[in-house]
Amino acid sequence: MNDLVVFGGPVPTYLIESIQTQLKPAAVKPQGVQAIRFTGVQAANAADVPESIRHGLANEQLDWAVVPAGRTLNDFKLIVFDMDSTLINIECIDELADFAGRKAEVSEITEAAMRGEMDYRDSLKKRVAVLAGLNARVLARVFSERLLLNPGARELLDALQNANIHTALLSGGFTYFTERLRIELGLDFATSNELEIVGGKLTGRVVGDIVDAQAKADTLRGLTQEFGLSQDQVMAVGDGANDLLMMAAAGTSVAYHAKPATQAKAVHAINHGGLDGILNLYPPQS
């Protein structure tokens, strides 16, 4: 049996009535702040929700998901995140390119890669090459001046740590940022690409193997095995094509403000609210 959770703002009466008529929930329960859980709905997954309801929810800018009844946050033991535009508000490489006066050019490549229109490895090499000759001190400036956590990230991470859930940052970005976030946020693990620095300047290359979609998925599987977990105890959160293999390797996937192709393959999508919306889908045990 499944529940339909609607959250992110007041739910209009016409939508509540439409959901009751078409999905025939066993009960309607207020949940937390501006969230409603329709329990025991006649829907096996998000695709079973009628188009008229989905359209109404989109018009009201409400997030929603079909979730297994009774499942809580504590049923998960590992949650992994993409970094750029998922856990944080920026694409770090685009902001670094801004210091080289080439942000627009690099952002266009980033967007194409996130949509899955360009091989990630090739796109990364092209973008990193633009950074050649930049003073390495721009890394610190991007971190301190431009990088913010996305809304709800701290609330979500606090809940995960209170529930003793392992957390990891699996990123195609750069170790300068992932390692600082790992330490600052108390994450258990982080992996990403290392920018080569020689004589205090970026060379326009990365050190070692590139962390791409396959590497992220392999790392997730490795962590799952290391912690002795089953696939259904793992959640992955991402936003772009480079996250799809990682998300497929998890039992539950969440597309956060993601590209359409990523949303289409995710179990859940959050399009309007913050990352703490995950706590509406899977509330912590009280």
Side-chain angles (χ1 to χ4, degrees), residues 205-281:
R205 297 185 294 271
V206 296
V207 177
D209 293 334
I210 290 176
V211 176
D212 59 5
Q214 188 63 57
K216 293 170 77 165
D218 291 344
T219 302
L220 183 148
R221 293 190 185 95
L223 291 172
T224 301
Q225 184 175 17
E226 178 183 339
F227 295 135
L229 306 178
S230 61
Q231 187 181 34
D232 66 359
Q233 292 176 301
V234 181
M235 179 189 294
V237 186
D239 74 309
N242 195 43
D243 300 317
L244 286 173
L245 294 180
M246 172 184 81
M247 294 165 74
T252 300
S253 56
V254 179
Y256 180 73
H257 292 240
K259 302 302 177 187
T262 307
Q263 288 189 43
K265 295 185 178 180
V267 175
H268 307 309
I270 295 176
N271 293 320
H272 307 291
L275 285 165
D276 54 342
I278 290 171
L279 302 178
N280 286 313
L281 306 181

Side-chain angles (χ1 to χ4, degrees), residues 71-82 86-87 156-157 159-161 163-170 186-190 220 223-224 227 229-238 246 250-254 275 278-279 282:
R71 192 149 203 227
T72 71
L73 192 70
N74 301 67
D75 292 319
F76 297 94
K77 301 303 177 187
L78 169 66
I79 298 187
V80 305
F81 299 89
D82 172 51
T86 299
L87 191 65
L156 175 59
L157 291 171
L160 299 182
Q161 288 159 359
N164 296 314
I165 297 170
H166 295 291
T167 52
L169 196 56
L170 309 185
L187 305 177
D188 295 303
F189 181 85
L220 183 148
L223 291 172
T224 301
F227 295 135
L229 306 178
S230 61
Q231 187 181 34
D232 66 359
Q233 292 176 301
V234 181
M235 179 189 294
V237 186
M246 172 184 81
T252 300
S253 56
V254 179
L275 285 165
I278 290 171
L279 302 178
Y282 300 100

Side-chain angles (χ1 to χ4, degrees), residues 75-132:
D75 292 319
F76 297 94
K77 301 303 177 187
L78 169 66
I79 298 187
V80 305
F81 299 89
D82 172 51
M83 179 176 68
D84 295 274
S85 297
T86 299
L87 191 65
I88 65 173
N89 66 319
I90 60 171
E91 293 286 331
C92 291
I93 194 164
D94 294 359
E95 301 306 315
L96 290 170
D98 195 22
F99 285 93
R102 298 175 69 179
K103 182 175 181 178
E105 171 190 345
V106 169
S107 294
E108 187 175 338
I109 299 173
T110 300
E111 283 292 309
M114 289 177 65
R115 292 191 300 265
E117 297 168 0
M118 181 180 292
D119 177 76
Y120 185 80
R121 298 172 70 89
D122 290 341
S123 78
L124 185 68
K125 289 177 182 177
K126 288 180 180 179
R127 288 176 289 164
V128 171
V130 169
L131 308 180

Side-chain angles (χ1 to χ4, degrees), residues 30-95:
Q31 177 184 295
V33 179
Q34 295 188 327
I36 294 180
R37 182 175 288 260
F38 299 85
T39 65
V41 295
Q42 295 183 3
N45 50 48
D48 286 342
V49 175
E51 177 60 32
S52 60
I53 294 175
R54 283 186 273 168
H55 184 70
L57 292 167
N59 281 346
E60 297 293 337
Q61 295 191 321
L62 293 167
D63 286 309
W64 61 278
V66 175
V67 299
R71 192 149 203 227
T72 71
L73 192 70
N74 301 67
D75 292 319
F76 297 94
K77 301 303 177 187
L78 169 66
I79 298 187
V80 305
F81 299 89
D82 172 51
M83 179 176 68
D84 295 274
S85 297
T86 299
L87 191 65
I88 65 173
N89 66 319
I90 60 171
E91 293 286 331
C92 291
I93 194 164
D94 294 359
E95 301 306 315

Side-chain angles (χ1 to χ4, degrees), residues 172-194:
F174 306 119
T175 55
Y176 184 93
F177 304 103
T178 56
E179 281 303 298
R180 279 157 181 76
L181 288 170
R182 181 186 65 79
I183 294 166
E184 180 181 304
L185 300 174
L187 305 177
D188 295 303
F189 181 85
T191 188
S192 56
N193 295 295
E194 183 179 354

